[in-house]
Amino acid sequence: MSAAAYDVVAIGNAIVDVIAPAADEFLAQEGLTKGSMMLIDEARAASLYGAMAAGLEASGGSAGNTVAGVASLGGKAAYIGKVAADQLGEVFSHDIRAIGVRFDTPYLENGEATGRSLINVTPDGQRTMSTFLGAANQLTWHDVDPQLIRDSAIVYMEGYLFDPPPARAAFEHAAVIAREAGRMISITLSDVFVVDRWRKELLAFTEQSVDIVFANENELKALFQTDDFDAAVEMLRPLVEIAAVTRSEKGSVILRGSETVRVEACPVEAVVDTTGAGDQYAAGFLYGLARNLPLETCARLGSLAAAEVIGHYGPRPQVSLRTLAEQAELV
């Protein structure tokens, strides 16, 4: 890739995660669909928060987690997302800047509170997310810094942005700037429920504007409305330059033209919390791609980052991914 000031700039919903353990019975009691992400309003967020077990608060948001992973690998990253001028907004801003990620999107003034995702983690490590977007929902195309897009090798966008119309407009605006600047555009499908809501629009945007797509197996099947994984892979192949499809313990499958690369998952002692697994896989993969590493190495970096994050609560690395990558002789 041509020289760029940043490896990755990510655009996403700026969210503070509240993560707590939960029993399956609790999910049923609260009417939550296990393993899903659902949007809720501020009143529901308050009531669910009051019912949840004690947990931890950590800056999150899918794309924010990804650039945190890129930074942990030693990459140069930037982030565009909206928070309010409140306590959680200050927490989010401090956290992302403290790890070396550029973040200078203006605060939302006199509007909704900073967004938060209430994440209930069952004993099997599955996370069920109930998200109040709040200020994140107010990201607009005016918040997209054109020069920052031009200065980044890869622009990474989260599929969750397809939900709020103003954010989707920001998404599309950034894609136009990136395309004109000759930068690569990547998207993560984010969630099966996002795919179900916006299948037609996601397919059209992917085919027209996207170079790199990230999806897990279930999201891919939902996109093409098939239970046949191999068939879905072949339908995705011609739409983008590169596709990375994760399959949990089965590892990942990378597509580029007629080429197929299969990489095993990194072993973990125990799956504690799957929150952020896909985000960190994307971090490792994008870092490798921005540094012109082979596809297999990109995928192995993704697997390594995902394995680190599922071994503890929270969606961001707790140890240096750079150190782990050096120990594994991947960088």
Side-chain angles (χ1 to χ4, degrees), residues 208-241:
Q208 294 167 12
S209 302
V210 173
D211 301 298
I212 311 156
V213 66
F214 292 90
N216 65 31
E217 181 173 355
N218 291 332
E219 292 158 1
L220 179 64
K221 290 177 178 178
L223 185 65
F224 294 108
Q225 296 181 289
T226 178
D227 290 327
D228 187 330
F229 174 75
D230 293 331
V233 163
E234 294 310 316
M235 285 187 273
L236 178 62
R237 190 187 296 275
L239 298 186
V240 291
E241 182 177 338

Side-chain angles (χ1 to χ4, degrees), residues 34-284:
K34 186 173 181 176
S36 71
M37 192 290 287
M38 65 182 299
L39 297 176
I40 59 175
D41 60 21
E42 192 164 10
R44 173 59 173 151
S47 67
L48 183 57
Y49 179 79
M52 287 170 61
L56 66 89
E57 295 181 354
S59 295
S62 176
N65 296 337
T66 294
V67 289
V70 172
S72 185
L73 280 161
K76 298 177 180 178
Y79 181 73
I80 297 170
K82 203 75 169 176
V83 296
D86 56 19
Q87 183 177 353
L88 287 182
E90 292 288 347
V91 167
F92 184 95
S93 301
H94 172 270
D95 285 354
I96 200 164
R97 290 171 181 150
I99 57 177
V101 174
R102 175 179 170 180
F103 175 56
D104 44 20
T105 308
Y107 285 116
L108 177 66
E109 302 284 353
N110 303 315
E112 290 188 282
T114 295
R116 73 288 311 261
S117 185
L118 306 178
I119 304 175
N120 286 283
V121 183
T122 41
D124 58 1
Q126 279 292 311
R127 80 284 187 276
T128 301
M129 299 182 289
S130 303
T131 302
F132 165 59
L133 290 173
N137 202 27
Q138 303 305 310
L139 182 75
T140 74
W141 69 270
H142 296 285
D143 294 310
V144 176
D145 178 350
Q147 194 56 49
L148 183 56
I149 300 296
R150 298 185 190 107
D151 286 344
S152 302
I154 303 172
V155 181
Y156 178 72
M157 305 174 176
E158 62 179 69
Y160 290 128
L161 285 173
F162 265 74
D163 276 309
R168 195 193 303 183
F171 195 111
E172 294 167 346
H173 181 61
V176 170
I177 297 167
R179 180 64 64 216
E180 291 175 348
R183 299 307 190 184
M184 296 195 80
I185 302 167
S186 59
I187 184 175
T188 172
L189 297 186
S190 294
D191 186 276
V192 167
F193 293 86
V194 171
V195 175
D196 286 342
R197 284 191 293 270
W198 304 109
R199 180 180 298 104
K200 181 180 177 181
E201 293 84 354
L202 279 168
L203 276 169
F205 183 78
T206 298
E207 187 169 13
Q208 294 167 12
S209 302
V210 173
D211 301 298
I212 311 156
V213 66
F214 292 90
N216 65 31
E217 181 173 355
N218 291 332
E219 292 158 1
L220 179 64
K221 290 177 178 178
L223 185 65
F224 294 108
Q225 296 181 289
T226 178
D227 290 327
D228 187 330
F229 174 75
D230 293 331
V233 163
E234 294 310 316
M235 285 187 273
L236 178 62
R237 190 187 296 275
L239 298 186
V240 291
E241 182 177 338
I242 298 171
V245 183
T246 56
R247 307 187 73 188
S248 300
E249 70 279 0
K250 297 178 183 177
S252 59
V253 178
I254 316 305
L255 314 173
R256 181 169 59 188
S258 60
E259 180 183 6
T260 301
V261 177
R262 301 180 188 276
V263 171
E264 295 180 355
C266 287
V268 293
E269 290 186 10
V271 176
V272 175
D273 172 20
T274 57
T275 308
D279 303 333
Q280 294 311 319
Y281 181 92

